[in-house]
Amino acid sequence: MRLTTWNGQSGPTLARAALLAPLQSDILLLQECARPHSQSPQCLWFGDNPRKGVAVLAREPWSLHPGPIHSSVSDSAFPVIVDGPESFHLLAIWAKQRPTYVRALLHALDHYRDFLLAAPSVLAGDFNSHACFNKGNTINHATLVQRLQSEFAVASAWHALHTHEPPTLYWQWKQDQPFHIDYCFLPQAWLPRLQSATIANYEDVAAESDHRPLTITLA
């Protein structure tokens, strides 16, 4: 199974997906993308702004179904049930600063706890969070990662294979403001199957977005 997440910066969902077609991802998450004309078991979209939302796409034989959306979580995280050769629950992430990015995600974890614990679960997307933002915040990225590990038994796919952190974002295309803020958290039981975690070259997508796609591959 191959999964890719990318903040595509306001482009049409299907056009952004087409740009990443060479990756041959089974599951593709896109943030800040426009609502497609229609949805299907291969394409779901979430959000309240038709120009900027979260899309999840699957290629057959995989299929997608929206999970139960909690009324108190209007953004930042969206539940998806993934069926196929391997079925699992997915929380598609595009964190909003409400009141902070980390607090928004912790709020989502509170309300999607049962959903995440009901099946093997993946959390992936643009978390807008990193340890470099921890200073002065008692509720910070470390708080989020610790809770993901201890309560939901998931771990960052990238960090399971690598000790360095190349940027997934050059904020507003500024080479001197690189950040690693896009993640894919997998069930810890899946980690022995993890074959690769890669981040695309900045130059390959810089014309479209200041984020770089993150792709993980499982046996």
Side-chain angles (χ1 to χ4, degrees):
M1 178 177 69
R2 179 168 294 160
L3 183 150
T4 296
T5 180
W6 181 41
N7 184 319
Q9 285 256 327
S10 304
T13 289
L14 298 183
R16 286 293 186 258
L19 289 172
L20 300 186
L23 295 175
Q24 297 186 319
S25 299
D26 299 297
I27 308 295
L28 172 63
L29 293 88
L30 298 170
Q31 300 86 43
E32 290 198 46
C33 59
R35 183 170 60 200
H37 294 300
S38 63
Q39 300 189 55
S40 71
Q42 267 64 54
C43 180
L44 299 179
W45 186 92
F46 304 90
D48 54 15
N49 180 345
R51 293 172 297 175
K52 288 188 177 185
V54 173
V56 184
L57 299 96
R59 63 174 182 170
E60 295 181 344
W62 305 85
S63 63
L64 309 168
H65 310 279
I69 294 179
H70 200 283
S71 59
S72 71
V73 186
S74 60
D75 55 41
S76 296
F78 303 95
V80 177
I81 299 167
V82 182
D83 289 322
E86 182 160 27
S87 297
F88 59 95
H89 287 179
L90 169 68
L91 206 59
I93 304 294
W94 177 28
K96 300 293 186 66
Q97 199 171 9
R98 298 179 182 171
T100 69
Y101 298 116
V102 166
R103 288 182 184 274
L105 293 179
L106 293 173
H107 177 73
L109 293 183
D110 289 340
H111 291 88
Y112 288 121
R113 184 177 187 277
D114 291 345
F115 176 78
L116 293 171
L117 294 178
S121 291
V122 173
L123 300 90
D126 179 359
F127 284 58
N128 273 311
S129 178
H130 185 269
C132 68
F133 306 136
N134 285 358
K135 187 176 181 180
N137 298 312
T138 56
I139 305 298
N140 53 37
H141 183 73
T143 308
L144 175 62
V145 172
Q146 191 279 331
R147 186 171 177 195
L148 288 170
Q149 292 175 341
S150 64
E151 187 172 340
F152 299 98
V154 296
S156 166
W158 178 267
H159 295 89
L161 294 179
H162 305 282
T163 57
H164 65 299
E165 288 185 329
T168 62
L169 166 71
Y170 288 97
W171 187 68
Q172 294 187 346
W173 291 271
K174 297 175 182 177
Q175 295 284 332
D176 62 345
Q177 296 200 43
F179 302 100
H180 187 109
I181 63 170
D182 302 88
Y183 304 91
C184 176
F185 282 84
L186 300 173
Q188 292 175 358
W190 290 11
L191 295 183
R193 298 166 42 205
L194 184 58
Q195 294 182 325
S196 67
T198 60
I199 296 172
N201 293 324
Y202 174 72
E203 295 77 12
D204 293 344
V205 294
E208 310 295 339
S209 173
D210 55 357
H211 285 252
R212 300 197 288 169
L214 167 67
T215 299
I216 65 101
T217 304
L218 291 153

